[in-house]
Amino acid sequence: MRTYLVTGGAGFIGSNYINYMFKKYDNEIRIINVDVLTYAGNLENLRDVEDRDNYTFIRADICDRDAINKIFEENDIDRVVHFAAESHVDRSIVNPEVFVQTNVLGTATMLNAAKKAWELPDGSFKEGKKFLHVSTDEVYGSLDDDPNAYFYETTPYAPHSPYSASKASSDMLVKAYMDTYKFPANITNCSNNYGPYQFPEKLIPLHIHNALAGKELPVYGDGKNVRDWLYVEDHAKAIDMVQEKGRLFETYNVGGHNEKQNIEIVKIIIDTLKEELDDSDPRKANLSYDLIKYISDRKGHDRRYAIAPDKIKAEIGWEPETMFAEGIKKTIKWYLNNTEWMEHVTSGDYEKYYEKMYSNR
Ligand code: NAD
Ligand code: DAU
């Protein structure tokens, strides 16, 4: 049975990936989820799989060399899928250091541990071992409003935020291991994900949460920044397909071909919530575009991201499957049906974070 070590599996994309993998492979695989459980890690995301005999959770920091080496020593790991990271751009602007720590040094620790476990005395690697580093399109910097400009795998790196700089650094480390040691790895650079279990600091879940509470919907700058939105399960599938069918040492860009201005997204959220809520639901009365509040822009705000997923389509046959109209409906229904999940993550410290980040803008 193939054994996967998934880092950051209690976060948004990691938990969707684990849920997807068990739906697809059931008892054919084993997954060890290594997560330190920062504010963004939530084991409630894994309730559907936590009792499986072929699933193990280990609470550990990816920067803890001894803990990570021990996991490799005690388990014959075949695949690593490395999600664990600090992932929120706004937090990176306020507190960059932890991004360097986790995203750069943590990735170095993971690479070293896998190399140590998988390397043979002649410097080659055991058959079939693979490391997938999950990265972002933000490493490529920002595109202007020209609708024909896209990020390709060959686009030079030009990160702007401390978050994207730390992800670019971690990508470079993975590339260095591939070039220097022929370390068996791939990198995927993906656009903005949305779907269930996303922490409500990111645009879509934050605005769903605020709209339902009748709170203001903060829009940065002119609201015309563009992101390329991908349903999270399509990303999970892409990661699996890259490990199954991709060429080792290659980078694959993953994107939704679904560019939208932020203000469009906010209006779609309001409109969809209105459609989904019963007239008798008191939360419906608050829903209107009047909730939208333009606030000061994010520092260094990238204007536009857009991925051309041509390579992954041509080589692997992956394409985004979930149309945005369908995906956003599914997502909103999920948040409406999981209010308890939202209450748990928004209580306590998160409310203090919200006050701190938004009160003076
Ligand atoms: P997330 O913030 O929801 O989850 C991150 C997870 O990593 C959490 O469970 C957290 O507890 C864990 N973690 C953080 N520091 C850790 C440490 N030191 N040791 C062990 N675990 C730690 O993030 P996400 O949105 O699910 O993103 C996952 C990955 O995908 C990240 O590498 C991110 O850069 C990348 N990515 C995200 C998006 C997106 O739209 N969210 C798009 C492209 C790429
Ligand atoms: O592109 C991939 C990246 O997408 C990932 O690498 C990151 O981990 C992920 O967080 C996401 O980064 P963004 O900065 O694009 O996502 P965020 O949801 O924070 O913001 C999306 C856009 O919406 C961005 O232009 C900023 C804007 N925004 C965001 C928030 C939270 C607002 O206008 N108001 C808000 O309240």
Side-chain angles (χ1 to χ4, degrees):
M1 189 193 286
R2 187 188 282 168
T3 299
Y4 287 76
L5 192 168
V6 175
T7 70
F12 163 50
I13 307 176
S15 60
N16 275 286
Y17 169 79
I18 292 176
N19 286 318
Y20 170 81
M21 291 296 277
F22 280 131
K23 258 194 266 161
K24 177 160 184 206
Y25 295 104
D26 196 12
N27 289 323
E28 289 167 38
I29 58 166
R30 184 172 159 238
I31 296 182
I32 301 171
N33 172 16
V34 176
D35 197 303
V36 78
L37 302 181
T38 65
Y39 76 93
N42 184 351
L43 291 179
E44 282 186 40
N45 302 359
L46 294 156
R47 256 201 305 231
D48 293 347
V49 302
E50 67 190 4
D51 293 331
R52 300 183 72 103
D53 293 336
N54 54 344
Y55 169 75
T56 310
F57 172 69
I58 300 175
R59 186 170 192 175
D61 189 328
I62 56 163
C63 302
D64 181 342
R65 191 196 305 140
D66 293 343
I68 300 299
N69 280 333
K70 188 161 172 268
I71 294 167
F72 276 94
E73 281 155 20
E74 291 178 352
N75 300 280
D76 183 13
I77 305 291
D78 299 300
R79 302 280 169 93
V80 173
V81 182
H82 177 39
F83 293 98
E86 287 293 334
S87 68
H88 191 36
V89 173
D90 291 326
R91 287 183 192 253
S92 83
I93 294 166
V94 177
N95 181 18
E97 215 170 307
V98 66
F99 284 73
V100 178
Q101 179 72 27
T102 296
N103 299 0
V104 187
L105 299 179
T107 299
T109 308
M110 290 306 303
L111 289 166
N112 283 333
K115 178 173 175 289
K116 189 164 174 255
W118 293 347
E119 200 169 25
L120 294 165
D122 68 357
S124 66
F125 287 89
K126 291 179 188 166
E127 197 57 35
K129 305 295 187 190
K130 291 182 184 179
F131 188 109
L132 190 140
H133 177 62
V134 181
S135 193
T136 170
D137 58 359
E138 298 199 14
V139 298
Y140 299 120
S142 182
L143 296 164
D144 59 25
D145 291 331
D146 170 4
N148 296 314
Y150 290 101
F151 295 138
Y152 294 93
E153 286 80 359
T154 49
T155 303
Y157 275 31
H160 296 128
S161 72
Y163 162 71
S164 51
S166 70
K167 291 298 289 187
S169 309
S170 65
D171 290 12
M172 290 301 169
L173 272 176
V174 180
K175 286 175 200 272
Y177 273 61
M178 295 195 285
D179 291 347
T180 308
Y181 309 113
K182 291 277 167 284
F183 179 76
N186 288 103
I187 300 172
T188 52
N189 294 90
C190 188
S191 63
N192 286 61
N193 285 214
Y194 70 100
Y197 303 119
Q198 187 167 30
F199 194 83
E201 62 187 353
K202 308 283 165 62
L203 180 70
I204 289 182
L206 175 74
H207 282 222
I208 294 172
H209 174 65
N210 280 13
L212 287 171
K215 280 187 176 172
E216 283 170 349
L217 304 177
V219 173
Y220 302 169
D222 65 3
K224 292 186 178 160
N225 298 65
V226 170
R227 297 293 182 264
D228 170 7
W229 294 94
L230 179 69
Y231 192 64
V232 64
E233 202 169 81
D234 285 351
H235 186 192
K237 185 173 182 183
I239 287 170
D240 181 41
M241 286 177 78
V242 166
Q243 280 209 319
E244 288 305 301
K245 300 185 181 173
R247 287 181 295 137
L248 271 181
F249 316 121
E250 292 292 319
T251 288
Y252 293 93
N253 281 355
V254 184
H257 259 318
N258 178 48
E259 291 173 49
K260 297 247 179 298
Q261 290 183 344
N262 295 333
I263 189 64
E264 291 178 75
I265 296 283
V266 176
K267 289 181 175 170
I268 291 171
I269 291 172
I270 297 169
D271 295 344
T272 312
L273 280 171
K274 273 190 185 163
E275 277 164 35
E276 292 299 325
L277 289 177
D278 284 340
D279 286 342
S280 59
D281 193 316
R283 294 171 299 177
K284 193 165 179 170
N286 300 320
L287 289 170
S288 96
Y289 292 171
D290 293 343
L291 292 175
I292 294 169
K293 185 183 176 206
Y294 288 92
I295 64 170
S296 60
D297 210 352
R298 174 184 277 174
K299 288 190 175 121
H301 198 177
D302 287 335
R303 188 66 177 170
R304 173 172 167 258
Y305 303 145
I307 286 269
D310 299 359
K311 179 175 169 182
I312 191 170
K313 183 179 176 198
E315 287 192 14
I316 298 179
W318 178 89
E319 279 188 279
E321 283 172 25
T322 312
M323 292 295 101
F324 189 73
E326 175 200 344
I328 193 70
K329 224 172 220 174
K330 268 206 303 205
T331 302
I332 286 180
K333 278 189 180 162
W334 187 88
Y335 286 100
L336 286 172
N337 291 330
N338 289 275
T339 47
E340 201 177 285
W341 180 92
M342 187 61 101
E343 275 160 28
H344 290 176
V345 296
T346 52
S347 58
D349 280 352
Y350 176 70
E351 286 300 334
K352 286 186 217 142
Y353 161 85
Y354 188 75
E355 281 309 307
K356 181 176 155 210
M357 298 296 269
Y358 289 91
S359 56
N360 294 320
R361 294 174 70 175

